[in-house]
Amino acid sequence: MARRSAPLLRRLAAAASPPAPQPLPGHGGGLARRTVTYMPRPGDGTPRAVTLIPGDGIGPLVTGAVQQVMEAMHAPVYFETYEVHGDMPTVPPAVIESIRRNKVCIKGGLATPVGGGVSSLNMQLRKELDLYASLVHCSNLPGLPTRHEGVDIVVIRENTEGEYSGLEHEVVPGVVESLKVITKFCSERVAKYAFEYAYLNNRKKVTAVHKANIMKLADGLFLESCREVASKYPGIQYNEMIVDNCSMQLVSKPEQFDVMVTPNLYGNLVANTAAGIVGGTGIMPGGNVGQDYAVFEQGASAGNVGNENIVEQKKANPVALLLSSAMMLRHLQFPSFADRLETAVKRVVAEGTHRTKDLGGTSTTQEVTDAVIANLD
């Protein structure tokens, strides 16, 4: 047998060996490593029932877009549709029963009458199902220019109490009391949700938004609860910010925020402001979650019903609810379908050919929907 030189043997051995793992960009030069985040279970892929509430205004247009895309991608979900409108006195019992049975709902906006003593059906749903955490993901979409780049904020808002407790009464004519209720139980569980979300999604910082310098007992209790929970997550940076300063920082330097946890009213204001910074409410996904149930809808409440012109012209932006339905698919443990849908939506936005008026285009809801379907892998 012919003898081979040592350098030649080394070259042959190197050629036969698999290439060394390359460092991942942005991972400090560490080796590439795939982390298991989802383990299929027997029965996964079985079609799941989802309660669908088209709602008011643009709701039927954007929920119709979701139905079309789900059908086109053969997603393992089917819908139980119920007509609910904001001027109803209560949410029909059959709708509540459907959500309790299916555990998951996707809905369009419900118009909330201003004044007049008619309670919000959105609030009724949240309280009846104990949907204690509202999550809105505000981030830049590729290809959509905005004043600020690199924004990726998750606003997690306590959803059942605070100024939205609905406890108001007229003491004497011309004098009204509106009670803001803050409890340790509700503050603690929404703080836990925020920190657990940050931990599971590799987020680095949680900011508690408050007004404890004025509402020392109510917002003070909220902060106390957040601090107790933060002490159990030493790997996550925690800071606090007064809500008025937070508003200024949000529009001047939004890149500094990661996960934000807030009482009820502040979260609504912060989420809508953050949505405006990255392109508007028409592209912001969101959901309301509790221990047992989840309701997915457009993330920011401003404009979720739209106006008559948009409805008549059928030019409502379906992007927010399509991205919310991707969140729903992940919640149902169908991650591959969620990735396909999210990728298709982002391609359509990045290409810029099919955009509704709020994003600088002229497309109709149906044209955007058809473009998303065409971009499905």
Side-chain angles (χ1 to χ4, degrees), residues 21-354:
Q22 297 299 310
L24 281 176
H27 284 69
L31 295 180
R33 182 167 60 91
R34 183 178 178 85
T35 303
V36 176
T37 57
Y38 172 74
M39 297 179 65
R41 300 191 306 257
D44 276 6
T46 303
R48 290 285 304 274
V50 173
T51 304
L52 174 67
I53 301 174
D56 298 313
I58 66 172
L61 287 172
V62 294
T63 55
V66 169
Q67 288 177 286
Q68 291 180 56
V69 173
M70 291 292 176
E71 183 177 351
M73 67 192 302
H74 304 291
V77 297
Y78 60 95
F79 298 101
E80 295 178 1
T81 305
Y82 291 86
E83 288 297 325
V84 181
H85 300 286
D87 57 0
M88 291 179 171
T90 60
V91 179
V95 178
I96 299 294
E97 176 57 34
S98 174
I99 300 175
R100 291 190 189 278
R101 181 174 62 251
N102 298 331
K103 311 292 186 186
V104 176
C105 171
I106 189 160
K107 63 182 280 291
L110 293 174
T112 301
V114 178
V118 179
S119 62
S120 165
L121 297 194
N122 294 304
M123 283 303 303
Q124 285 186 31
L125 273 176
R126 294 168 194 166
K127 290 185 177 181
E128 183 70 29
L129 301 171
D130 197 25
L131 305 172
Y132 66 84
S134 166
L135 185 150
V136 180
H137 188 186
C138 303
S139 62
N140 292 114
L141 291 184
L144 187 64
T146 59
R147 183 182 298 273
H148 298 279
E149 297 297 331
V151 180
D152 187 7
I153 303 170
V154 174
V155 181
I156 295 175
R157 155 194 175 196
E158 204 292 318
N159 220 14
T160 60
E161 58 176 19
E163 295 86 351
Y164 288 59
S165 300
L167 301 174
E168 295 183 310
H169 64 277
E170 189 173 41
V171 183
V172 296
V175 179
V176 172
E177 281 187 342
S178 181
L179 302 182
K180 171 178 175 172
V181 177
I182 297 287
T183 65
K184 184 174 180 62
F185 173 78
C186 290
S187 299
E188 196 170 72
R189 68 177 179 174
V190 78
K192 285 180 180 177
Y193 185 88
F195 276 92
E196 194 65 14
Y197 179 92
Y199 176 77
L200 293 174
N201 290 277
N202 198 32
R203 297 277 181 159
K204 306 302 181 186
K205 182 169 70 171
V206 173
T207 301
V209 182
H210 66 94
K211 189 65 177 173
N213 59 324
I214 301 298
M215 286 170 271
K216 299 181 183 299
L217 293 180
D219 285 20
L221 179 58
F222 178 80
L223 278 188
E224 178 187 315
S225 303
C226 290
R227 290 167 184 166
E228 289 179 7
V229 173
S231 66
K232 300 173 184 176
Y233 292 83
I236 298 174
Q237 182 184 347
Y238 170 70
N239 71 331
E240 299 167 356
M241 193 171 290
I242 295 173
V243 64
D244 36 358
N245 181 37
C246 173
S247 301
M248 188 272 291
Q249 294 288 336
L250 198 56
V251 298
S252 60
K253 193 180 177 184
E255 306 86 0
Q256 67 183 289
F257 296 106
D258 193 351
V259 175
M260 305 173 78
V261 60
T262 77
N264 208 331
L265 177 61
Y266 310 153
N268 193 13
L269 304 176
V270 166
N272 280 274
T273 303
I277 288 169
V278 294
T281 59
I283 61 172
M284 293 300 103
N288 304 280
V289 298
Q291 185 67 35
D292 301 308
Y293 313 106
V295 175
F296 296 90
E297 59 186 334
Q298 180 174 309
S301 59
N304 66 352
V305 176
N307 59 54
E308 291 183 5
N309 288 337
I310 294 176
V311 175
E312 289 172 1
Q313 296 171 13
K314 297 184 178 180
K315 290 187 175 182
N317 190 347
V319 168
L321 202 65
L322 287 171
L323 292 175
S324 297
S325 64
M327 290 174 61
M328 179 191 74
L329 288 170
R330 287 199 180 91
H331 177 78
L332 291 172
Q333 297 187 338
F334 298 133
S336 60
F337 288 94
D339 289 345
R340 286 177 62 201
L341 174 52
E342 198 169 81
T343 300
V345 171
K346 289 181 177 180
R347 279 179 186 163
V348 171
V349 174
E351 287 169 1
T353 307
H354 298 92

